[in-house]
């Protein structure tokens, strides 16, 4: 209720109508949304047909895949904000319709078809024939022109077509082009994402390799350190043994000198002791 109350004055002046119309333009076909209108998760709207165009352009294999048992519905990016839209197995038919926008379009069309709001039809007039409307298109010169120019004037030998036909054709070409660009953008974005993932993987791998290298060298160092300790100990033991042996070699010579003295002393002592003993028996 409140909505319609606020809406009526809005529709009142032509400027607001223009603003409203801009809000109701599909970014793909550049026309006012045509029903059914679907709303994407990012809250942007598209004609379902246009959503399908964008989706088909970004997923060229989807239809053939759809016939197999693959249940995933594919994905595309919102042409307005690039938010990724993931579809279920119904494809764009699984997207929610925006009934509010559809209703607004209905009301808008009703309102603008009233004589009060119908815009004064603006027609470009031929520069040469001021009474003639520009209503045909010269295909040879690729310019819009008037019927008189075709019959008598500058374009009398040219190939022409009705302006509305060419307008529609060029508009649909443009809109196809936009859909292709949006899809191309999606693919480029996908490649960029892939490259970013590759970079991330490279960074991760390199970090892990560095860690591994550090660990290995640390354990190698530990082993070397341990080995060094063992070798130093062995060296010390060997040094000790050799010193001991050296001492043994020098001590026996000291010992033999001492024993020689003892031998010398001992006979003396024996003689000395034996002497008195011999003397003692001799004495009594
Ligand atoms: Zn559209
Ligand atoms: Zn969006
Ligand atoms: Zn003319
Ligand atoms: Zn021409």
């Amino acid at each position: 209720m409140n909505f319609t109350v606020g809406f009526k004055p809005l529709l009142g002046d032509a400027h607001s109508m223009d603003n409203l119309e801009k809000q109701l333009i599909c970014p793909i076909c550049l026309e006012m949304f045509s029903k059914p209108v679907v709303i994407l998760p990012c809250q942007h709207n598209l004609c379902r047909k246009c959503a399908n165009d964008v989706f088909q352009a970004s997923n060229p294999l989807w239809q053939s895949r759809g016939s197999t048992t693959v249940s995933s519905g594919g994905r595309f990016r919102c042409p307005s904000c690039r938010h990724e839209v993931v579809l279920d197995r119904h494809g764009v038919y699984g997207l929610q319709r925006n009934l509010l926008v559809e209703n607004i379009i209905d009301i808008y069309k009703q309102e603008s078809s009233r004589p009060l709001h119908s815009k004064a039809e603006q027609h470009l007039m031929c520069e040469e024939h001021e009474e003639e409307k520009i209503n045909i298109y010269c295909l040879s010169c690729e310019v819009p022109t008037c019927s008189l120019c075709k019959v008598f004037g500058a374009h009398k030998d040219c190939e022409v077509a009705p302006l509305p036909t060419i307008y529609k054709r060029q508009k649909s070409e443009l809109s196809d082009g936009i859909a292709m660009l949006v899809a191309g953008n999606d693919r480029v974005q996908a490649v960029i994402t892939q490259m970013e993932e590759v970079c991330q993987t490279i960074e991760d791998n390199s970090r892990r390799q560095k860690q591994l290298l550090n660990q290995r060298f640390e354990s190698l160092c530990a082993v070397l350190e341990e080995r060094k300790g063992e070798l130093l100990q062995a060296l010390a033991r060997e040094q000790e043994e050799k010193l001991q042996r050296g001492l043994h070699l020098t001590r026996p010579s000291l010992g033999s000198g001492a024993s020689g003295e003892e031998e010398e002393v001992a006979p003396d002592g024996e003689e000395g002791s034996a002497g008195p003993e011999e003397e003692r028996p001799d004495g009594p």
Side-chain angles (χ1 to χ4, degrees):
M1 291 304 125
N2 206 10
F3 170 72
T4 46
V5 169
F7 199 59
K8 278 234 164 74
L10 183 74
L11 285 174
D13 70 273
H15 183 65
S16 305
M17 288 290 273
D18 278 352
N19 275 343
L20 178 60
E21 190 176 339
K22 276 180 198 146
Q23 297 302 310
L24 298 174
I25 298 295
C26 165
I28 296 298
C29 61
L30 308 178
E31 299 274 4
M32 187 171 291
F33 288 117
S34 53
K35 294 200 277 185
V37 179
V38 291
I39 181 161
L40 307 179
C42 55
Q43 304 297 311
H44 286 117
N45 295 285
L46 285 176
C47 319
R48 188 158 70 197
K49 182 198 156 298
C50 293
N52 198 45
D53 286 351
V54 172
F55 167 62
Q56 294 291 345
S58 355
N59 301 265
L61 297 174
W62 190 73
Q63 266 186 334
S64 57
R65 253 194 254 163
S67 61
T68 68
T69 50
V70 176
S71 60
S72 139
R75 49 192 67 197
F76 68 95
R77 281 179 190 274
C78 166
S80 305
C81 71
R82 320 243 352 103
H83 187 279
E84 189 169 58
V85 182
V86 180
L87 298 175
D88 63 15
R89 64 197 167 85
H90 303 295
V92 294
Y93 291 87
L95 289 169
Q96 208 164 7
R97 278 175 72 171
N98 192 340
L99 296 177
L100 176 62
V101 167
E102 290 183 12
N103 289 339
I104 292 173
I105 286 169
D106 285 345
I107 296 169
Y108 177 88
K109 283 183 176 163
Q110 278 168 23
E111 286 291 320
S112 53
S113 66
R114 285 189 200 171
L116 176 65
H117 295 295
S118 64
K119 294 177 199 164
E121 289 213 353
Q122 283 190 328
H123 264 289
L124 282 175
M125 308 308 268
C126 177
E127 283 182 3
E128 279 186 49
H129 313 92
E130 288 176 5
E131 298 297 301
E132 280 298 315
K133 291 174 187 167
I134 299 273
N135 57 1
I136 60 171
Y137 185 81
C138 173
L139 294 167
S140 315
C141 311
E142 296 186 330
V143 285
T145 184
C146 88
S147 320
L148 284 182
C149 283
K150 166 59 190 161
V151 182
F152 309 110
H155 302 284
K156 65 177 192 298
D157 298 323
C158 296
E159 196 187 338
V160 296
L163 192 56
T165 315
I166 300 301
Y167 166 79
K168 270 183 203 144
R169 189 202 297 165
Q170 291 196 345
K171 188 151 188 170
S172 86
E173 277 172 15
L174 271 178
S175 135
D176 288 352
I178 290 172
M180 290 306 290
L181 282 175
V182 167
N185 221 350
D186 274 7
R187 283 192 286 267
V188 168
Q189 197 60 43
V191 170
I192 289 173
T193 310
Q194 222 173 12
M195 294 314 290
E196 280 170 354
E197 280 169 11
V198 167
C199 288
Q200 189 58 47
T201 313
I202 290 174
E203 269 176 34
D204 288 352
N205 283 346
S206 141
R207 200 179 322 116
R208 213 172 317 132
Q209 287 301 325
K210 275 183 200 161
Q211 229 174 351
L212 215 64
L213 199 70
N214 273 335
Q215 279 173 4
R216 285 198 181 146
F217 267 85
E218 270 163 25
S219 58
L220 265 179
C221 282
V223 167
L224 282 174
E225 211 45 60
E226 199 186 317
R227 190 86 186 105
K228 179 178 154 193
E230 282 171 9
L231 286 173
L232 280 175
Q233 268 182 354
L235 261 177
R237 264 201 308 274
E238 203 174 333
Q239 183 184 10
E240 189 65 24
E241 275 169 23
K242 283 188 175 165
L243 276 176
Q244 288 295 331
R245 217 177 299 152
L247 275 177
H248 269 293
L249 282 176
T250 50
R251 212 172 271 164
S253 74
L254 275 172
S256 72
S259 68
E261 274 171 27
E262 278 167 27
E263 276 166 27
E264 277 172 25
V265 169
D268 284 350
E270 265 174 49
E271 277 169 17
S273 66
E277 269 176 20
E278 279 173 1
E279 276 174 7
R280 266 177 242 152
D282 285 346

